[in-house]
């Protein structure tokens, strides 16, 4: 055990956190658009969003990483940096899952609320903004926090194809030098656990707390 | 845009790709069987076992569900190797994936078991069923039937996630394609082909689970309604 190794693991942890936050930010924005597109009245838009979700959920993240890493250079852009490519792939991936989760939450808002809003003569956009989304937000918080765990775990894959140096990558480099897999991968696993477990617990607690009306 | 796509160079490797598909499917099949056995057993322990055993199971479930599969693979496969035990790499990958999917299965099956109504258990007692009979016919089977959709989508995710074991040297579909990539330098084309194959496999596995469900749960087949 060496302090330089621990420092390197901590740097990896920071890179993991950065990638997770970027993914959540962009994936959240894209996911919101996907959710709205999915419930659109326009047949083409909603089918398009459904196809997008179907494709993203049927591809392994590794393949998506490869497509995002090598794809842009074909379109004439210079090759992306590992962080950009990883964020791009994870954004596409999580936008499909978040879109599907949020669509469920929007549709879970009680039917009379939609009808009442329509009776009040609100436009479709007003109804969404003032009536449906605030209530959907409440339903959406626990599964969204739960999905954050998935994002953090999925960032580990960013080291494989695009070579972004995050926690599991640094742990592997250290293991290559020391060959003490139980020790260093154990520490790396504990670090992931330290981020993910509080989120899991929080998600369950929020679910209980926000579910008061249905008890 | 001056890039010349060359899918022929990639598709020329179709025997290798087919081999990779076969390995991926075999890996998925083994992990599905072992995963359901492990997860089912853990779920039974977690809902009806002694306190210490429940505690161990929930520790296992929480730990696996809150760490990435990649790190679990490294930990188990390199760890086993460092103890001086020589396992075929495919066996090591099966163990790692089974340990992973077992935890998710435990949670899903547990939810199914907890949804069984108390009255069912009382009825089983009244009918004079033994403890084993009660577990098999009144608890496990209806529980599995109820959570079957969640279970099957979890196993489709497992098939997709099995691509991760290529990083420890398993030559499944993704591992094979790494080899093709280093021989042809057609990086983008190979990923497009891979994407197509994985999409097809996802549909195949989902269809397989749907058929299996029809065969396993005759009540559902006859009534056409979920339990």
């Amino acid at each position: 055990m060496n302090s330089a190794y621990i420092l390197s693991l901590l740097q990896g942890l920071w890179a993991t956190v950065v990638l997770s936050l970027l993914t959540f930010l962009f994936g959240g924005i894209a996911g919101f658009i996907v959710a709205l597109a999915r419930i659109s009245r326009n047949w083409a838009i909603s089918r398009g969003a459904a196809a997008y979700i179907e494709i993203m959920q049927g591809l392994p993240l590794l393949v998506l990483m490869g497509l995002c890493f090598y794809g842009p250079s074909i379109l004439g852009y210079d090759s992306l940096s590992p962080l950009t490519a990883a964020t791009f792939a994870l954004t596409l991936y999580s936008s499909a899952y978040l879109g599907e989760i949020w669509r469920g939450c929007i549709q879970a808002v009680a039917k009379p609320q939609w009808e009442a809003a329509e009776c009040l003569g609100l436009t479709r956009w007003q109804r969404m903004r003032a009536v449906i989304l605030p209530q959907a937000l409440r339903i959406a918080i626990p599964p969204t926090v739960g999905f954050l765990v998935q994002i953090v775990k999925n960032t580990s894959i960013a080291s494989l194809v695009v070579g972004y140096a995050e926690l599991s990558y640094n742990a592997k480099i250290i293991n290559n030098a020391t060959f003490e897999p139980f020790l260093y991968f154990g520490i790396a696993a504990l670090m992931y656990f330290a981020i993910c477990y509080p989120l899991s617990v929080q998600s369950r607690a929020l679910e209980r707390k926000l579910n008061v009306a249905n008890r | 845009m001056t890039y010349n796509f060359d899918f022929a160079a990639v598709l020329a490797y179709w025997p290798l790709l087919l081999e990779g598909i076969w390995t991926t499917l075999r890996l998925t099949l083994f992990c599905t069987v072992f995963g359901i056995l492990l997860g089912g057993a853990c779920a039974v322990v977690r809902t009806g076992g002694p306190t210490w055993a429940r505690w161990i199971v929930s520790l296992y479930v929480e730990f696996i569900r809150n760490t990435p599969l990649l790190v679990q693979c490294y930990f188990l496969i390199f760890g086993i190797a460092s103890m001086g035990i020589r396992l075929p790499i495919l066996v090591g990958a099966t163990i790692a994936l089974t340990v992973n999917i077992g935890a998710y299965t435990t949670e899903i099956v547990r939810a199914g078991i907890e949804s069984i109504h108390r009255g069912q258990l009382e009825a089983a007692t009244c009918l004079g069923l033994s403890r084993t009979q009660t577990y098999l016919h009144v608890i496990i089977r209806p529980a599995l039937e109820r959570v079957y959709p969640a279970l099957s989508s979890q196993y489709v995710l497992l098939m997709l996630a099995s691509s991760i074991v290529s990083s420890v040297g398993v030559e499944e579909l993704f591992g094979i394609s790494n080899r093709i990539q280093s021989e042809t330098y057609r990086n983008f084309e190979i990923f497009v082909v891979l994407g197509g194959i994985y999409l097809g496999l996802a549909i195949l596995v989902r269809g397989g689970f749907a058929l299996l469900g029809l065969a396993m749960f005759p009540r559902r087949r006859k009534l056409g309604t979920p339990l």
Side-chain angles (χ1 to χ4, degrees):
Chain A
M1 193 105 140
N2 180 320
S3 61
Y5 291 151
I6 297 300
L7 196 68
S8 156
L9 285 178
L10 285 174
Q11 276 168 352
L13 184 65
W14 173 241
T16 293
V17 171
V18 168
L19 181 55
S20 306
L21 289 177
L22 284 175
T23 302
F24 183 62
L25 176 66
F26 293 117
I29 295 170
F32 183 63
I33 296 170
V34 171
L36 287 184
R38 189 72 185 76
I39 56 167
S40 161
R41 276 190 193 149
N42 185 326
W43 185 83
I45 293 178
S46 85
R47 288 308 302 162
Y52 172 80
I53 291 170
E54 194 67 24
I55 290 172
M56 289 301 157
Q57 296 193 344
L59 288 179
L61 188 51
L62 269 178
V63 172
L64 209 54
M65 289 273 178
L67 290 174
C68 292
F69 191 51
Y70 295 112
S73 59
I74 288 173
L75 294 176
Y77 295 98
D78 284 340
S79 56
L80 298 181
S81 76
L83 178 60
T84 321
T87 309
F88 185 28
L90 279 165
T91 297
L92 291 180
Y93 185 78
S94 29
S95 71
Y97 285 87
L98 282 173
E100 197 65 355
I101 293 172
W102 289 342
R103 174 191 65 87
C105 295
I106 292 174
Q107 289 183 335
V109 173
K111 199 91 188 156
Q113 297 285 333
W114 295 74
E115 291 162 358
E118 212 166 314
C119 291
L120 285 173
L122 299 181
T123 66
R124 189 171 163 78
W125 175 241
Q126 282 174 326
R127 183 175 65 186
M128 265 298 167
R129 195 178 48 80
V131 181
I132 304 300
L133 288 182
Q135 297 183 68
L137 186 68
R138 192 182 150 91
I139 312 174
I141 290 174
T144 307
V145 174
F147 189 75
L148 274 174
V149 176
Q150 305 290 328
I151 292 181
V152 174
K153 288 192 295 180
N154 280 332
T155 56
S156 67
I157 295 172
S159 60
L160 294 182
V161 177
V162 303
Y164 177 64
E166 39 67 62
L167 181 50
S168 58
Y169 179 82
N170 284 9
K172 191 171 182 212
I173 298 294
I174 294 171
N175 179 55
N176 288 347
T178 61
F179 207 59
E180 286 181 90
F182 282 131
L183 177 63
Y184 289 106
F185 291 128
I187 295 174
L190 282 175
M191 285 178 172
Y192 278 111
F193 188 76
I195 300 182
C196 295
Y197 185 65
L199 289 173
S200 299
V201 171
Q202 197 60 33
S203 165
R204 262 172 284 173
L206 282 168
E207 203 166 332
R208 273 197 301 275
K209 197 175 141 198
L210 296 178
N211 203 20
V212 175
N214 293 340
R215 262 202 311 239
Chain B
M1 218 176 114
T2 52
Y3 190 86
N4 293 316
F5 288 98
D6 186 4
F7 285 103
V10 172
L11 293 174
Y13 285 85
W14 66 267
L16 269 183
L17 286 173
L18 221 53
E19 204 177 295
I21 293 174
W22 174 233
T23 313
T24 292
L25 283 179
R26 248 183 331 164
L27 204 57
T28 310
L29 181 68
F30 281 120
C31 294
T32 305
V33 173
F34 294 136
I36 289 184
L37 290 177
L38 176 67
C42 286
V44 169
V45 170
R46 184 145 187 206
T47 48
T51 317
W52 60 269
R54 281 186 205 201
W55 210 75
I56 291 176
V57 169
S58 55
L59 206 65
Y60 157 65
V61 168
E62 288 302 330
F63 205 80
I64 294 295
R65 275 165 41 104
N66 286 299
T67 50
L69 172 60
L70 181 67
V71 175
Q72 291 160 16
C73 282
Y74 285 159
F75 186 86
L76 281 172
I77 292 172
F78 293 145
I80 290 173
S82 78
M83 291 191 303
I85 302 169
R86 290 252 156 269
L87 281 181
I89 186 66
L90 210 55
V91 176
T94 310
I95 293 175
L97 282 174
T98 303
V99 166
N100 179 271
I101 196 69
Y104 289 90
T105 311
T106 304
E107 272 303 271
I108 296 175
V109 176
R110 184 183 65 105
I113 290 177
E114 280 173 356
S115 75
I116 302 289
H117 198 269
R118 269 204 76 79
Q120 294 281 328
L121 301 182
E122 285 156 10
T125 317
C126 291
L127 285 173
L129 296 186
S130 72
R131 209 173 138 80
T132 326
Q133 282 174 322
T134 310
Y135 258 108
L136 280 181
H137 302 296
V138 184
I139 300 182
I140 302 274
R141 209 170 134 124
L144 278 182
E145 187 172 346
R146 236 173 247 189
V147 297
Y148 196 71
L151 213 51
S152 48
S153 52
Q154 191 66 50
Y155 279 89
V156 173
L157 286 181
L158 168 77
M159 189 276 292
L160 298 175
S162 74
S163 59
I164 291 176
V165 298
S166 64
S167 64
V168 289
V170 182
E171 295 242 293
E172 42 69 78
L173 184 51
F174 198 86
I176 290 265
S177 72
N178 276 341
R179 206 160 96 196
I180 301 175
Q181 201 177 334
S182 58
E183 283 176 28
T184 60
Y185 299 104
R186 289 290 166 184
N187 297 330
F188 187 70
E189 286 90 333
I190 186 84
F191 278 109
V192 172
V193 171
L194 266 187
I197 295 176
Y198 271 111
L199 274 178
L201 284 179
I203 293 170
L204 189 75
V205 172
R206 211 174 295 158
F209 266 99
L211 286 179
L212 193 68
L214 285 181
M216 272 199 323
F217 307 117
R219 203 201 56 79
R220 188 177 205 150
R221 184 175 66 226
K222 283 175 199 142
L223 297 179
T225 52
L227 196 64

